[in-house]
Amino acid sequence: MTKKEAEKKIKELSIEIEHHNRLYYLEDKPVISDYAFDQMLEELLRLEKEFPDLKTTDSPTLRVGGGLTKSFESVAHEYPMLSLSNTYSEEELRDFDGRVSKGLEGEKYEYFCELKFDGVSISLVYEEGKLVRAVTRGDGVRGDNVTLNAKTIRAIPLHTIEKNHPEKFEVRGEIFMPRNVFAALNRELEEAGEETYANARNTASGTMKLQDSAEVAKRKLSCFVYFLLGEDLNVNSQEACVHSLERWGFHVSPTYKKCRNIDEVLDYIKKWEKHREHLPVETDGVVIKVNSLDQQEKLGFTAKSPRWAVAFKYKAESARTRLNAITYQVGRTGAVTPVAELEPIFLAGTTVKRASLHNANEIARLGLHVGDMVFVEKGGEIIPKVTGVDTNVRTGKSSAVKYITACPECGTTLIRREGEAVHYCPNEKGCPPQVTGKIEHFVHRKAMDINSIGERTIHQLFEAGMVRRPSDLYSLSKNDLLKLEGFKEQSSQKVISGIEESKSKPFEAVLFAIGIRHVGKTVAEKLARHFKSMESLMQADVEALLKAPEIGEIIARSVHDFLREKEHVVEIGRLQKAGLKMEIEATEVRVESDKLSSKSFVVSGVFQHYEREQLHQVIEANGGKVLSGVSGKTDFLVAGENMGPSKLEKAQRLGVKIISEDEFRKMLS
Ligand code: IVH
């Protein structure tokens, strides 16, 4: 293809892709399959790779990310990003209306109402119709330049679709993680044995601060805009601003409404209090703006916020119900969590029976008595919380809850470490849920992956006194298992084989399996790659741990303390003796270089010299990048035996270089 032809094709594809992107993300009316869409995107990626100087700053390929931001540049906002004053009641809102009416000296006025989206505010600057800068709110005066990350968000137009706009303008909006995306992300984390996120807002905020825009792209953030700023806008009301934004291709929530007076505003507030549960994004209130821009100017600003707008905040949904009991759960780490057992009650779409009470301090703070009528709330968080007690209806016979002093599972006296609010059961070796919990974690699919052992078998083994710690699994014999109820020759053999096979699991799986607090699958991989062996990890002090990529204070301390405990050292020794891998494979250690730098690989099939995971590590240890699927961004497909035909076919179609295991090894030598 000549450059001229490529230029034409790139233009056509870009227009087509953005068109379908808009149909999908803005209008929710896709007309082609995801597959057809991906094909076009891949073709564009391939062309841009072949003709790098034809890649534009608003190319739809920016949506998949790939650019890194080492540290976000701080930039000044052209117009400061102010906040709004809040109101919480009809009375306060009527007061606001009174101030507006007075300020406008008897002029007629209207309001424009929108929902208040609970996300992260963003300023988007467009020049000649193209997105040139995206900046976080920061302190309102200066924010972080997060343009690369923002460009991956498909609901943010990279350019306008209608040219009828000033040369330069600024749009304000709210970036958020849709509820379903947030739920799916948490499910995934839970599966991987990692800590889940508490709420969607903080997750969206954390995502915008990631350095790798490809990671941001994967998080599927979205964005609603609600504000237009600039000169020569040719509009005279908030309503007209919103209509301009819609015409230019921005994502505006269709929930807005013009209201003629404060009573209509109150109706709007009432209507959305219930309906907002069905929106894709969390909302915590309504924003009420004087519609006319002239009148906005006349009303002006206080030091912090406009006089022409106000937020009305919904009360977090709350209900009153009886506290029937407090129970205590003991986790695999021995941490004790008090749980409020409630008289079931319907709240914000679900029936609530239990709520976490966090720790003893929280119970004391609330001053709970069993039998109390308590208030339960569901805010942005998933787990409902007890927020207070209705002391008016207390009978007088009840008394304040006394926190337990002994473990409800094994009777051991609980301890509370200095500076921590949580009580622990120190009986790590004998407390049933701790022991079985640790073994369940150890055999988990993402850890040692011994799928022939389930929860029931673990309980049987524990009760029969055969297994007290993970290493005991490795001395089980078939005869031992045959003694258990329900075990026959075949099922016993299956368990033994499963245990045997687990010995070939890589070091990072072992590191995850031993259950160090705060060390999930990803952290285990990072630690394994950095320290390479259990031995060097055990020698590392906190400072050395902090030097490992993306390891912070909390993880470093947790790893350090865990590996200093004699009990753990002994158990690791037993696991090593049983034949578990305590270092990453020799090949990976030897070949660190930058021979593969800036090359990306997809690996498929079975190999002679490497396990799949190992091959990934070798690539990364030599500066290469591993991708999960073949795309226009792939440089090499390393083809093993029995590789998937679809990957092969796709690689051929996209002109990706296909290499054998031997050829790959030659690249390294
Ligand atoms: S208008 C001059 N409209 O709430 C103030 N803000 O407390 C312009 N927000 O910083 C803000 N939804 O991050 C406006 N429909 C909406 C909004 C909204 C959410 C956020 C925004 C702002 C904060 C104000």
Side-chain angles (χ1 to χ4, degrees):
M1 193 183 280
T2 66
K3 194 159 176 181
K4 192 122 201 173
E5 285 164 345
E7 190 170 1
K8 185 162 168 264
K9 188 75 197 166
I10 286 178
K11 212 175 220 156
E12 284 168 9
L13 277 169
S14 299
I15 291 173
E16 179 99 19
I17 292 170
E18 276 301 274
H19 170 68
H20 288 295
N21 186 54
R22 250 189 338 270
L23 289 178
Y24 189 105
Y25 284 95
L26 301 186
E27 293 171 29
D28 208 7
K29 280 186 223 129
V31 297
I32 58 169
S33 68
D34 289 1
Y35 179 74
F37 183 85
D38 289 345
Q39 298 267 293
M40 284 196 281
L41 198 61
E42 266 158 24
E43 189 177 356
L44 183 58
L45 277 161
R46 194 169 49 76
L47 284 170
E48 285 179 351
K49 202 166 147 197
E50 200 176 330
F51 302 96
D53 51 326
L54 293 181
K55 181 165 171 165
T56 59
T57 54
D58 58 347
S59 164
T61 57
L62 288 160
R63 303 296 198 192
V64 292
L68 283 182
T69 314
K70 275 257 175 289
S71 66
F72 297 102
E73 169 205 15
S74 159
V75 287
H77 292 294
E78 188 152 341
Y79 307 91
M81 284 179 90
L82 299 177
S83 54
L84 296 171
S85 50
N86 292 324
T87 57
Y88 297 90
S89 64
E90 175 174 342
E91 195 189 348
E92 284 179 311
L93 197 57
R94 287 194 186 275
D95 286 348
F96 163 77
D97 183 48
R99 290 194 298 276
V100 168
S101 168
K102 200 166 159 217
L104 293 178
E105 300 168 313
E107 282 176 31
K108 262 180 79 77
Y109 56 91
E110 291 174 322
Y111 288 116
F112 196 78
C113 291
E114 294 155 13
L115 290 178
K116 190 167 189 302
F117 309 106
D118 198 10
V120 188
S121 41
I122 191 83
S123 143
L124 305 165
V125 178
Y126 287 77
E127 281 172 16
E128 291 172 6
K130 286 187 192 174
L131 174 64
V132 292
R133 203 164 54 244
V135 184
T136 61
R137 175 199 173 85
D139 62 5
V141 178
R142 303 182 72 87
D144 287 343
N145 184 341
V146 291
T147 311
L148 272 184
N149 287 352
K151 282 183 175 177
T152 69
I153 300 174
R154 293 179 184 237
I156 297 180
L158 298 171
H159 53 248
T160 51
I161 50 170
E162 190 194 276
K163 296 294 162 209
N164 191 8
H165 52 70
E167 159 135 1
K168 184 174 173 184
F169 61 89
E170 183 175 336
V171 178
R172 300 259 170 96
E174 207 76 1
I175 289 174
F176 60 91
M177 181 170 277
R179 288 182 214 257
N180 58 344
V181 174
F182 177 68
L185 176 66
N186 263 352
R187 261 199 310 276
E188 227 173 77
L189 287 170
E190 207 173 298
E191 276 244 303
E194 299 191 22
E195 255 168 72
T196 52
Y197 293 107
N199 67 58
R201 204 208 83 88
N202 292 358
T203 312
S205 162
T207 301
M208 286 310 286
K209 290 181 193 140
L210 293 177
Q211 295 181 338
D212 184 352
S213 60
E215 284 301 311
V216 182
K218 283 190 211 148
R219 294 275 183 92
K220 301 196 182 119
L221 297 177
S222 191
C223 178
F224 277 139
V225 303
Y226 45 68
F227 213 54
L228 175 63
L229 289 153
E231 281 159 35
D232 307 320
L233 292 172
N234 259 329
V235 286
N236 56 17
S237 66
Q238 167 67 8
E239 183 184 25
C241 287
V242 163
H243 289 320
S244 296
L245 288 169
E246 286 172 332
R247 275 202 317 278
W248 299 342
F250 287 90
H251 197 205
V252 178
S253 165
T255 51
Y256 57 75
K257 187 176 189 299
K258 187 163 74 175
C259 294
R260 276 170 302 185
N261 52 49
I262 204 71
D263 290 315
E264 284 190 10
V265 170
L266 285 159
D267 288 343
Y268 177 89
I269 291 173
K270 217 170 270 151
K271 170 181 166 190
W272 282 103
E273 173 145 29
K274 269 263 150 291
H275 281 345
R276 69 199 175 108
E277 279 166 28
H278 307 295
L279 294 172
V281 50
E282 302 274 350
T283 49
D284 58 353
V286 168
V287 178
I288 300 121
K289 299 170 184 166
V290 169
N291 193 28
S292 151
L293 299 191
D294 285 338
Q295 290 180 335
Q296 286 186 4
E297 205 176 310
K298 191 161 174 183
L299 288 163
F301 294 84
T302 68
K304 279 189 296 192
S305 52
R307 287 202 184 86
W308 46 264
V310 78
F312 177 89
K313 298 269 250 187
Y314 287 120
K315 283 201 197 68
E317 287 213 53
S318 146
R320 191 169 153 277
T321 189
R322 185 175 305 279
L323 174 67
N324 287 333
I326 293 180
T327 55
Y328 298 85
Q329 287 180 343
V330 184
R332 78 173 147 91
T333 59
V336 176
T337 313
V339 178
E341 304 288 345
L342 305 164
E343 192 61 36
I345 187 156
F346 198 70
L347 175 61
T350 53
T351 302
V352 175
K353 296 187 197 119
R354 317 178 83 199
S356 166
L357 290 166
H358 305 292
N359 53 51
N361 295 349
E362 180 68 2
I363 294 177
R365 187 183 72 80
L366 291 163
L368 292 181
H369 294 196
V370 169
D372 272 347
M373 291 306 287
V374 294
F375 298 106
V376 186
E377 262 184 29
K378 220 155 76 173
E381 276 75 26
I382 306 166
I383 305 166
K385 55 181 176 222
V386 176
T387 52
V389 178
D390 187 352
T391 45
N392 297 326
V393 295
R394 206 173 253 168
T395 54
K397 277 194 214 131
S398 63
S399 56
V401 169
K402 278 213 190 70
Y403 205 79
I404 49 168
T405 52
C407 175
E409 300 281 348
C410 70
T412 307
T413 303
L414 299 179
I415 55 160
R416 206 175 190 182
R417 297 191 192 115
E418 209 181 298
E420 285 198 30
V422 174
H423 283 78
Y424 281 87
C425 166
N427 184 13
E428 219 190 304
K429 284 188 292 177
C431 179
Q434 292 192 59
V435 175
T436 55
K438 283 192 181 83
I439 298 169
E440 275 162 31
H441 173 78
F442 187 84
V443 304
H444 191 273
R445 187 164 58 83
K446 306 260 175 175
M448 302 310 283
D449 190 21
I450 312 179
N451 67 12
S452 50
I453 303 184
E455 226 170 276
R456 206 180 103 86
T457 309
I458 291 173
H459 282 269
Q460 280 179 292
L461 289 166
F462 175 74
E463 260 157 36
M466 292 179 190
V467 173
R468 292 272 164 218
R469 47 181 96 83
S471 61
D472 290 343
L473 292 171
Y474 295 91
S475 38
L476 283 177
S477 69
K478 204 158 70 180
N479 279 338
D480 290 334
L481 286 157
L482 283 167
K483 287 184 204 139
L484 299 178
E485 198 194 312
F487 275 86
K488 301 255 161 57
E489 175 71 24
Q490 213 185 353
S491 45
S492 305
Q493 184 54 48
K494 214 173 131 206
V495 169
I496 296 296
S497 311
I499 293 172
E500 195 54 33
E501 279 161 29
S502 74
K503 292 181 185 169
S504 65
K505 287 275 144 198
F507 172 48
E508 62 265 28
V510 179
L511 192 52
F512 172 54
I514 59 175
I516 307 174
R517 220 173 142 202
H518 303 299
V519 177
K521 183 88 182 149
T522 321
V523 172
E525 275 164 16
K526 288 190 172 131
L527 288 170
R529 228 167 281 175
H530 186 81
F531 288 98
K532 303 197 168 61
S533 70
M534 188 65 93
E535 200 185 341
S536 64
L537 186 62
M538 286 170 111
Q539 280 162 7
D541 54 16
V542 172
E543 211 175 310
L545 280 155
L546 282 169
K547 288 207 180 102
E550 288 170 70
I551 303 300
E553 190 80 30
I554 292 176
I555 298 176
R557 288 231 157 268
S558 172
V559 173
H560 178 267
D561 296 352
F562 184 96
L563 295 176
R564 288 295 175 289
E565 256 174 64
K566 185 155 169 261
E567 193 60 45
H568 298 146
V569 176
V570 174
E571 172 68 358
I572 290 168
R574 288 192 207 106
L575 292 171
Q576 179 157 30
K577 220 163 143 210
L580 268 55
K581 297 213 162 112
M582 292 294 166
E583 54 186 40
I584 56 174
E585 295 296 287
T587 40
E588 308 154 34
V589 185
R590 256 196 345 253
V591 291
E592 290 218 21
S593 77
D594 58 358
K595 283 186 178 135
L596 309 179
S597 83
S598 73
K599 299 272 186 299
S600 48
F601 293 81
V602 170
V603 171
S604 182
V606 182
F607 301 91
Q608 284 197 333
H609 296 92
Y610 312 99
E611 294 256 335
R612 174 92 59 93
E613 183 58 23
Q614 231 180 321
L615 186 49
H616 288 180
Q617 287 166 6
V618 175
I619 292 169
E620 282 172 1
N622 288 283
K625 203 168 158 189
V626 180
L627 307 173
S628 54
V630 177
S631 74
K633 286 194 155 183
T634 314
D635 293 296
F636 296 99
L637 171 66
V638 191
E641 257 172 64
N642 293 328
M643 72 170 292
S646 64
K647 275 198 178 131
L648 189 61
E649 193 240 337
K650 201 163 175 187
Q652 282 165 341
R653 190 158 36 79
L654 294 175
V656 171
K657 210 160 172 207
I658 301 163
I659 57 171
S660 66
E661 185 176 353
D662 280 344
E663 284 170 300
F664 173 76
R665 283 160 66 88
K666 277 201 196 105
M667 288 173 83
L668 292 175
S669 60

